[in-house]
Amino acid sequence: MARRPDASYSPLRSGQGGDRAPTEMAPLFPGCDYEHWLIVMDKPGGEGATKQQMIDCYIQTLAKVVGSEEEAKKRIYNVSCERYFGFGCEIDEETSNKLEGLPGVLFVLPDSYVDAENKDYGAELFVNGEIVQRSPERQRRVEPVPQRAQDRPRYSDRTRYVKRRENQAYQR
């Protein structure tokens, strides 16, 4: 029996939360308040796009649902043009739903802190239409630490395979 999609479905209200508003539910992660949203997009402007062109695309995308580019600049608090393509913005859930399905928008997700101690959502800070550099101390906290080769799990240990073959030989 096929189920028909429910137009009023919201993943924020599904599960144990029932029909309660997201703000009444316990947060998923620190900083996840359903007022800060992460918008993940296809690479804006294609392969040759500059960082500024990508940011302009983020502003234009949000402006489609908040009414103007000036308002969009006020609501965007971070941008990413390298590790992923997208931006963080402060909007309500109803407005976030309007972003879904816009050209280039892949995901609309509740945002959460990368650095809960400093209430930092990560990516590049964006204030009133401009990228703001973090202090070097704060930047180190939000950048992922590359994993050193000696810390990675080693899969070259073949003893488990030898033991498995020996066990199979005994079972025959």
Side-chain angles (χ1 to χ4, degrees), residues 132-143:
V132 177
Q133 296 299 315
R134 289 185 174 87
S135 68
E137 162 69 12
R138 292 280 300 272
Q139 187 62 32
R140 279 192 293 280
R141 290 183 183 184
V142 297
E143 286 181 351

Side-chain angles (χ1 to χ4, degrees), residues 65-89:
V65 298
V66 297
S68 73
E69 289 189 9
E70 285 307 310
E71 186 64 23
K73 287 178 184 178
K74 292 176 187 173
R75 292 176 179 257
I76 295 175
Y77 55 83
N78 69 18
V79 295
S80 179
C81 301
E82 294 173 15
R83 291 193 179 110
Y84 65 91
F85 303 105
F87 60 96
C89 58

Side-chain angles (χ1 to χ4, degrees), residues 85-104:
F85 303 105
F87 60 96
C89 58
E90 193 168 351
I91 54 177
D92 59 29
E93 183 184 5
E94 184 179 332
T95 305
S96 75
N97 289 333
K98 294 175 185 176
L99 284 164
E100 293 177 3
L102 288 181

Side-chain angles (χ1 to χ4, degrees), residues 8-20 22 25 28 93:
S8 66
Y9 170 78
S10 169
L12 301 176
R13 290 190 300 265
S14 65
Q16 295 177 327
D19 288 331
R20 291 187 303 166
M25 297 187 306
L28 299 173
E93 183 184 5

Side-chain angles (χ1 to χ4, degrees), residues 105-146:
V105 174
L106 298 175
F107 303 105
V108 177
L109 306 164
D111 207 351
S112 58
Y113 296 140
V114 170
D115 179 4
E117 180 182 326
N118 290 298
K119 297 184 177 182
D120 197 335
Y121 288 97
E124 293 188 83
L125 293 177
F126 193 78
V127 178
N128 292 322
E130 300 292 327
I131 291 178
V132 177
Q133 296 299 315
R134 289 185 174 87
S135 68
E137 162 69 12
R138 292 280 300 272
Q139 187 62 32
R140 279 192 293 280
R141 290 183 183 184
V142 297
E143 286 181 351
V145 178

Side-chain angles (χ1 to χ4, degrees), residues 30-49:
C32 185
D33 59 6
Y34 305 100
E35 292 177 11
H36 293 83
W37 296 85
L38 176 62
I39 315 306
V40 181
M41 300 185 65
D42 282 326
K43 184 173 184 177
E47 289 305 313

